[in-house]
Structure formats: structure tokens, C-alpha cells
Amino acid sequence: MLKVLQACVRHQVCVRHQVCVRRQVCVRRQVWSSVSSAAQRGSDAAEGRGVTRGGVRSCTVDPNLQEQFVFVEFTDPEDDPQQEERRILHQFRAASAAGSPGSAAGSPGSAAGSSGSAAGSPGSAAGSAAQLTPHKHLRSLEHQLQVLRSGDQQEVELDSLIQFQDVDFLLDDSVTATKKKKKKKEAGGGKGEHKIFGTPDVDEPVSNICCQGCGALLHCTSTAVPGYLPSEKFKELQQEGRLGGATCQRCHLLTHHHQALNLQLPREQYKDVVRQVRAHKALVLLVVDLLDLPDSIIPDLPELVGANKHIVVLGNKVDLLPADAPNYLQRIKRQLLQYCQDSGFAAQVTDVHLISAKTGFGVEGLISSLQRSWKYKGDVYLVGCANAGKSTLFNTLLESDYCKSRAADVIHKATISPWPGTTLNLLKFPIINPTPYRMFRRQQRLQEALQQTEEELSQDELRRMQRLSKQGYLVGRVGRTFRTNASPSEEIQFDPDSLAFGEDGEPTATAPSRPSSELTHNELKDTHWLYDTPGIMKELDILSLLTEHEVKLVVPTQAIIPRTFVLKPGTSLFIGALARIDYLQGQTSCWFSVVASSRVPVHVTSLEKADGIYEKHAGHVLLGVPVGGLERMKEFPALVPQEVRVEGRGQLEAAADITLSSAGWVAVTAVEGDQLLLKVHGPQTAGFSVRTPPLLPHIVSLKGQRIPKSAAYKPLKAAGLLDRGLSVSSAKTPQLKKKKKKN
């Protein structure tokens, strides 16, 4: 009897569990089917409207032909999660209400008929029970939806579905272990959160050895001072004599976890390190971020390095800029030189180069120019603002013909990250003496690289070129003529992800560890050095207001695809929650081309709704950056408006750029002679400004087909270019040669 009772109880629990699961699946399928059908109808209609212009890769819009703008209200998922459930309940109530009068009206006629058959017919009882089914089903559905809502807020424990323990019905241990692990992970903190491990020791003296990644003196006294190592690790390395090749904890987190420890250093401390250049005979390589012109040019550079220094200006990150017109590189060069003249040190500038320290574009041409002009006269210093790419260029030159061959295998690479102020002191490597024989051998290698076909390249080199071509418009090949170890390939096999962060920001594989051997005295006798200096922190910068995760979203790391919108007076353009541009006055519609990271969303709305959109969606999905909801926006400074007047230059030429500091810019294109009144909203310390002439004046031409009933155009990516390891004048062919087939 006891066994039968246990079997009945188990059968009843299983049946109830299956019915509950089926009901939940049924209700969720109904909700999903309704949403999917509506989305399918909308997509079909959109496809029907866009068929007529398929295959068009660019277009020009007549501003006189005004098209209706539809500003759809955006609703975050958390705003009204029960709307679809209430709609389903309303449909069932309407159906039950419509069925009740019909049954009541027909009841008199059916009563007579039923009385004649009531003698032994059980069907009448079934029919009366069926009349109550819709009401019971409605109450049951309401109860199920309440269970689903509670299930979304708090996940149902598998143990709660079982009311007893039985040897024949045990819960799977793997399921409980997985859920416990998930709960432990959630309780421990989010992904990517790191803390300072180990303990400091204030009694241990500071060493005289610098960190191989950032240049700070290694110590274990305080976690807030650059160069910190946990006392346990510091003492162990010191006893073993391996402190010379160590990196501090901050560099370790930046390299292996892409996590930055916030160190508060005064701006003058960075300048004091750079001022050491004044006392030496040296060449200054000024690294400029082309995405932040002219703010990334140090205004008081002669005061820092001296008025007697020769300066070579390097426009970095050119691989991220699309080609808006033929010969756009020469135009950017001239504009960069003009900015140097406006800053007051154009007389010291001896040359200007456009390079990409990440993809290697223009680096071989820079090395050839330095070996011909500067030769071996003295030291070389990399100088520039924070986040301009100095450390990335340092690492690229470390594995090139500009560094002594064996030094590239001994010296540790500099730590790099999008976080401003990564380098804290001087890093250096020995420069190779460009003797006539070495320059002849180097020229031979460059000529051989120029004649190479795709079949002659190694598989690693081909994969590298394909990977870099997806990340930037301009790709180069940086090689080494002299190596200490014989290698079948003379090209650098470096991972670009170790030189700069990828799009997803996830940790990547690091470069292999270098031998611990050091350079001998004879190798370093009378040598000259290339130094990587700390980046000068800008007084006004949007990055100083962002968290570590937000910096990764805002700083562009891949080829920028411009996003163009056509706006009429009375509309507003949001670039995340970082900036807002209001189009107040103008005769006709004008175009706004956003040149920024694709991870920063752009939203267009009417001027009347702009304030409400910002208050409701700042910190959420719609505006994207900053991240963290209302709590984050309480810390973020308020947007301060400033009026800007722009005069149009034509439908194919931008009138001005509204620069957004390190986040990019917005190019404004209007009909010739049209007077525009704009209002730019941004944090007061972000450093937003107006740039004339624009850096890419024809950026508006890089747009695809107009999206119907929208202010946006389809994005259009420009073509790329391959630098084959020579100077810009020699690199005329954009693609590798194909090997000719024999007849």
C-alpha cells in the first residue's frame, strides 16, 4: 500500500510540473508569435519600398524635396514589460464577453429541447460545464502570467518544484553545481572587476629599477603610487635577482586583463619628465592624434623640449580615416603643418609624415627618412599628448630596422592601452647606426618586398594583412633586415592586437617572453637611444570624464565608417549621451556626418522631444554612453549649450567640423550661402569646439542609399590602400601583384 501511495504522489507531481511547463511555453509562444508577425510585416513593407533602388552605392538628395521624418518613440525593455500580457488578457476578456450574451440568448430555446432529452443524457451536464470553461480559463491564464512575471524577476529554483526527497527521483548534481557556481560568480562581482592583490610593505625601500612596461620605479610601499608590486612578489623577485625584467601590477592588469588602476597623477608631473629633453642634443618626434586635431598638438612644445630642437611631426591613426577624395593624404599633411604654424613652432618642423603605428602604414618610409636626415647625430624622443599612440609606435620601431638587431629580442615592449597616461617615465631602446652597408642591405630588402607576389608571402603574413585590412583603411608591412636568429621570413610576425585593443575589448594573446640576457658593454658603447616619454594630459578632454569601460567604447580602434543624417530645422542629433547638436535655423535641410566609434549610438529626434529623450534614456540602451543608468548620470556633468553659426559651402563640401575631443567629430554640410544656427550641448570640461576648414571636407559623399522615412543614410565603407614598405611616393599600387600564369 505504501509503495502504491508513493507512486501516485510521484505521478501527480510530475504531471503538475509538465502542465505548468507546457502552459508557460504556450503563453510565451503566443507573445513571441505576435511580436514576430508584426516585425515580419514591417520588414516586408520596408523591403518592398527599398527594391527600386537596390544596387545604388551612393546618392545625392535634393534639399528642396522635403521628405516626412518619422520620429518613433523608443521604449526601453524595462519601461513596460507587461504590455503584451495585458493585450492577451484583453483579447480573452473580449472573447468571453462576446460569447456570454450569445449563450444566454439561446438558452430559452435550448431549454425545451434539452428537457426532452434529459431523461438519461449526461451530455447536458457536460454542456453546462463547458459554459464555465472560458471564465475558468481566463482566471487560469491570469495566474500563469503572474507566475511568468515572478519568474522573470526571480528564477525558480529546481528544488522548489519537488516537495519531497525520494531515492528514485533525485535532482541532478550537475544542475545544482552549475547554478551554485553561477550564483557565486554573480555574488563575487561582474566580469572584468579586479582588485589590488597582495599587501604593501612601507618599510621596504624603493628600488632603482624601472618597470619594463611604463618606466616607473618598482616598489611595494603603496598601492596608489606608480610602479607598485605586491610585497610578496617584490621581495621574491629581488632575492632571485629577476626584478630587472619585471612589470608593475598596473601594467600586468593593462596587458593581460585590459583593466586599469586609477592613479591620480598631477599634469605637471608628466611635463617634468618631458622637460628632460631640453638639456640634450636630440630629435623630437611629435606624435599627433589625427582624430583629435588640433587639440592633440602640444601648444607649449618649444617650452618643454627647447626652441633649438628639430621636430618631425607624425600624424598617427591615419588608418582609421576614410578617403573622402583623391589625394586626401596630401591635404591632411598641409593642414597638419598649418596647425603647427598656428601653435608657433613651424620653423622647427623639418618633416611631416602620416603613419599608422598599429597597421604599420608609413613606418618604413619614416625609418628611411630618419636614417637619411638625422642619421646618428643624437638621441630621439617620442613626444605627444596622452593616447596619441606613442607607445604603440615605440613597440613597432622596436621590431624594425631602427633598433639594434639583438636589442629587439632583449628589451621589453611598452605597455599600451586606450586609457590615457599609461606611460609614466622614460622607456628606451638603442638605435642602430645606419652605415652605408646597412642602408644598402635595407634597400635591397625593400625592393624584394616590392616585387613579391601573394603566392610568395607566408600564410602568417597573408592572414595578418587580411586581419589588418578589416581594422584599418591603410595597411603597411614593417620588416627587419638584420636578425640575430636566422628565420625563413624577414617580416615582423607581430600580432596587431598586442599593439592596440580590438573592437570587443576582450583580453588577447600577448607577445612571447623575451630572453633574460642583457646587452653587453661593447654593444651599448657610444650608442644613441630612442625614448618613449609620458603623454601630456590635456586640460579639456572627454576621456577624463569617462570610466574605463566607457573609454573602450568611445576611443575608435577600427576603421571609422561615417554615419550621415539629413536634418531640417527643429531637429536634434544625439551622439550617445556625450553630445547633442540642435539645428535651430536654416533655409533648407543640411547633412550631419558623424565620424566616431561605431560603438557610440546616434539618435535623431525633434527639438521638442530632445530634453525628454535625454532625461529618460541617458545612461541606458538608446544613448549607450555613459553606461550605468541614473546612478551613473548623477556623476556625469550636465550638458552646457553653446551657439555656433556656420555658412554653407555647397552640397558636396562640409562647412565646418564640430569636434568632440577624443571621441571624433561631426561634419556639417549645407547649401552654399545658407546661414545655419546650431546649438552644441556638451560637458564644460569636454573641450568641444568648431574646426574650420574641416579635416575631411567631402565626407558627405561617403554615404549609401537614403533609408525611407528616416533621416539616416545607409553606411558606406571607403576603399583601402596597401603600403608595400616604401615611402608614400613609391607605393603607387594599392594591391599586391598577382603572379602571371605561364602559357
Side-chain angles (χ1 to χ4, degrees):
M1 187 67 180
L2 180 60
K3 292 184 178 180
V4 173
L5 180 60
Q6 291 179 350
C8 293
V9 172
R10 288 198 297 271
H11 177 70
Q12 184 179 6
V13 172
C14 293
V15 170
R16 288 182 178 178
H17 175 59
Q18 293 176 358
V19 171
C20 180
V21 172
R22 288 176 180 174
R23 286 179 178 176
Q24 292 180 3
V25 173
C26 180
V27 173
R28 291 183 175 177
R29 284 179 177 175
Q30 291 177 356
V31 175
W32 175 248
S33 63
S34 62
V35 176
S36 301
S37 61
Q40 182 65 29
R41 290 194 298 270
S43 62
D44 293 342
E47 290 177 0
R49 291 191 301 267
V51 168
T52 58
R53 299 192 64 181
V56 178
R57 296 194 56 81
S58 63
C59 62
T60 303
V61 177
D62 186 357
N64 297 322
L65 299 179
Q66 298 289 342
E67 187 172 342
Q68 181 182 2
F69 295 165
V70 180
F71 301 106
V72 182
E73 280 290 347
F74 180 87
T75 303
D76 280 332
E78 65 271 14
D79 289 344
D80 195 3
Q82 303 176 6
Q83 180 179 0
E84 189 65 24
E85 300 173 5
R86 289 199 299 267
R87 187 183 66 81
I88 297 175
L89 289 177
H90 178 71
Q91 292 178 358
F92 274 95
R93 290 194 182 99
S96 61
S100 297
S103 62
S107 58
S110 63
S114 62
S115 61
S117 61
S121 175
S124 60
S128 61
Q131 294 179 359
L132 300 177
T133 300
H135 301 283
K136 290 183 177 181
H137 184 60
L138 180 60
R139 289 194 298 269
S140 176
L141 181 61
E142 290 177 346
H143 177 70
Q144 293 172 22
L145 291 176
Q146 291 177 0
V147 173
L148 289 177
R149 287 197 297 266
S150 62
D152 293 337
Q153 298 174 359
Q154 183 177 4
E155 187 176 358
V156 180
E157 291 288 340
L158 294 180
D159 294 344
S160 63
L161 301 178
I162 302 175
Q163 303 298 331
F164 61 92
Q165 298 291 336
D166 192 285
V167 293
D168 298 326
F169 197 74
L170 293 176
L171 187 64
D172 192 357
D173 295 337
S174 62
V175 176
T176 56
T178 303
K179 296 182 70 62
K180 290 180 180 179
K181 184 178 180 180
K182 182 178 179 181
K183 284 185 176 182
K184 184 177 180 181
K185 182 178 180 180
E186 293 176 353
K191 181 180 179 181
E193 294 183 1
H194 296 271
K195 62 181 182 179
I196 300 177
F197 295 95
T199 56
D201 186 358
V202 295
D203 298 329
E204 187 72 20
V206 178
S207 70
N208 58 353
I209 299 176
C210 296
C211 170
Q212 295 293 312
C214 65
L217 291 177
L218 295 175
H219 66 92
C220 63
T221 57
S222 175
T223 59
V225 179
Y228 171 77
L229 270 176
S231 59
E232 298 83 359
K233 189 69 174 179
F234 179 84
K235 294 176 181 178
E236 178 184 354
L237 293 176
Q238 200 171 35
Q239 291 176 358
E240 297 176 357
R242 296 188 294 115
L243 194 61
T247 57
C248 65
Q249 188 178 66
R250 174 174 176 267
C251 290
H252 177 80
L253 292 179
L254 281 171
T255 303
H256 298 282
H257 302 283
H258 293 181
Q259 191 78 14
L261 298 179
N262 190 14
L263 299 176
Q264 300 296 333
L265 297 177
R267 183 169 178 264
E268 287 298 322
Q269 181 172 341
Y270 292 95
K271 287 189 174 183
D272 291 340
V273 179
V274 180
R275 286 191 179 97
Q276 301 178 22
V277 185
R278 296 179 61 92
H280 303 279
K281 179 182 179 181
L283 175 68
V284 175
L285 301 182
L286 176 62
V287 183
V288 178
D289 185 2
L290 293 179
L291 300 179
D292 190 17
L293 284 177
D295 295 337
S296 61
I297 297 179
I298 304 175
D300 55 346
L301 183 63
E303 188 272 332
L304 289 176
V305 302
N308 60 341
K309 298 293 187 301
H310 289 177
I311 300 175
V312 175
V313 181
L314 307 179
N316 193 24
K317 303 182 183 180
V318 70
D319 60 304
L320 303 180
L321 299 180
D324 65 325
N327 300 323
Y328 77 107
L329 295 179
Q330 286 75 10
R331 185 185 65 239
I332 294 177
K333 268 188 178 183
R334 293 192 299 267
Q335 195 163 343
L336 184 57
L337 184 59
Q338 181 62 41
Y339 286 137
C340 295
Q341 185 174 354
D342 298 339
S343 300
F345 57 87
Q348 299 178 242
V349 176
T350 59
D351 203 354
V352 178
H353 292 266
L354 300 182
I355 65 169
S356 170
K358 177 182 177 181
T359 66
F361 179 84
V363 174
E364 289 285 18
L366 170 64
I367 295 173
S368 299
S369 176
L370 293 177
Q371 291 180 342
R372 287 193 304 264
S373 60
W374 183 247
K375 297 180 181 179
Y376 207 59
K377 301 177 183 177
D379 297 334
V380 179
Y381 287 81
L382 293 174
V383 179
C385 289
N387 204 42
K390 298 182 305 301
S391 296
T392 305
L393 180 59
F394 178 88
N395 293 338
T396 304
L397 294 176
L398 178 63
E399 295 189 348
S400 71
D401 283 345
Y402 204 63
C403 176
K404 284 194 172 183
S405 56
R406 205 172 78 83
D409 300 324
V410 176
I411 297 177
H412 194 280
K413 285 185 176 181
T415 301
I416 57 174
S417 75
W419 192 263
T422 302
T423 304
L424 303 174
N425 209 329
L426 295 178
L427 302 174
K428 64 180 181 178
F429 68 74
I431 301 173
I432 193 171
N433 187 3
T435 60
Y437 170 74
R438 288 172 177 164
M439 295 188 68
F440 173 76
R441 287 282 308 276
R442 168 179 164 78
Q443 190 63 27
Q444 275 187 328
R445 179 182 64 82
L446 295 179
Q447 291 295 334
E448 292 174 359
L450 182 63
Q451 301 298 327
Q452 274 185 322
T453 62
E454 293 184 5
E455 290 78 4
E456 295 173 345
L457 293 178
S458 63
Q459 292 297 324
D460 292 339
E461 181 66 15
L462 283 176
R463 284 194 294 266
R464 171 186 170 271
M465 302 297 290
Q466 293 173 357
R467 181 172 60 247
L468 291 179
S469 63
K470 296 178 181 179
Q471 299 181 1
Y473 292 108
L474 304 176
V475 180
R477 302 172 62 193
V478 183
R480 290 172 61 184
T481 305
F482 304 97
R483 292 177 178 268
T484 54
N485 298 323
S487 174
S489 173
E490 294 188 352
E491 298 294 330
I492 291 181
Q493 305 298 335
F494 64 84
D495 184 2
D497 293 331
S498 67
L499 299 181
F501 280 89
E503 181 73 17
D504 53 359
E506 294 296 327
T508 56
T510 57
S513 59
R514 301 186 179 276
S516 58
S517 60
E518 298 181 356
L519 297 174
T520 63
H521 174 73
N522 291 332
E523 290 176 319
L524 299 179
K525 184 179 180 181
D526 299 328
T527 189
H528 295 298
W529 301 83
L530 183 138
Y531 292 89
D532 180 22
T533 64
I536 304 298
M537 305 299 293
K538 296 188 297 183
E539 294 183 359
L540 302 177
D541 192 2
I542 187 66
L543 298 184
S544 62
L545 306 176
L546 303 179
T547 63
E548 175 193 349
H549 175 61
E550 294 164 355
V551 168
K552 296 178 183 178
L553 297 176
V554 170
V555 175
T557 56
Q558 292 193 355
I560 297 177
I561 302 177
R563 291 168 283 177
T564 301
F565 305 84
V566 55
L567 304 183
K568 61 182 180 181
T571 53
S572 298
L573 179 76
F574 282 95
I575 300 92
L578 305 175
R580 166 185 158 190
I581 303 175
D582 297 338
Y583 182 15
L584 301 180
Q585 295 179 7
Q587 297 297 326
T588 59
S589 299
C590 63
W591 294 268
F592 291 77
S593 300
V594 180
V595 184
S597 173
S598 59
R599 291 165 289 182
V600 179
V602 179
H603 182 71
V604 178
T605 186
S606 61
L607 188 59
E608 294 78 10
K609 298 180 180 179
D611 292 336
I613 289 291
Y614 185 82
E615 294 177 2
K616 185 177 182 180
H617 297 289
H620 296 289
V621 178
L622 179 64
L623 300 182
V625 184
V627 181
L630 295 178
E631 295 298 326
R632 174 67 179 97
M633 297 310 298
K634 290 179 181 178
E635 304 172 356
F636 194 74
L639 304 185
V640 179
Q642 56 176 329
E643 290 188 354
V644 175
R645 294 188 178 273
V646 177
E647 181 178 356
R649 296 184 179 180
Q651 301 179 16
L652 299 178
E653 183 179 358
D657 291 338
I658 299 176
T659 61
L660 308 177
S661 186
S662 299
W665 72 86
V666 178
V668 182
T669 306
V671 178
E672 185 175 0
D674 194 2
Q675 301 292 331
L676 307 181
L677 176 60
L678 310 176
K679 183 176 288 186
V680 181
H681 303 255
Q684 192 170 4
T685 59
F688 296 171
S689 61
V690 178
R691 177 173 60 200
T692 53
L695 186 65
L696 300 175
H698 307 292
I699 192 72
V700 71
S701 62
L702 298 178
K703 64 179 185 298
Q705 179 181 335
R706 172 79 175 274
I707 301 176
K709 291 187 178 181
S710 171
Y713 292 84
K714 292 183 179 179
L716 181 64
K717 186 174 181 180
L721 177 66
L722 172 64
D723 184 3
R724 313 255 334 256
L726 301 178
S727 61
V728 177
S729 59
S730 301
K732 296 180 181 179
T733 55
Q735 296 181 352
L736 288 172
K737 291 183 177 180
K738 295 284 186 179
K739 192 172 183 179
K740 296 182 179 180
K741 295 183 179 180
K742 296 181 180 180
N743 295 329

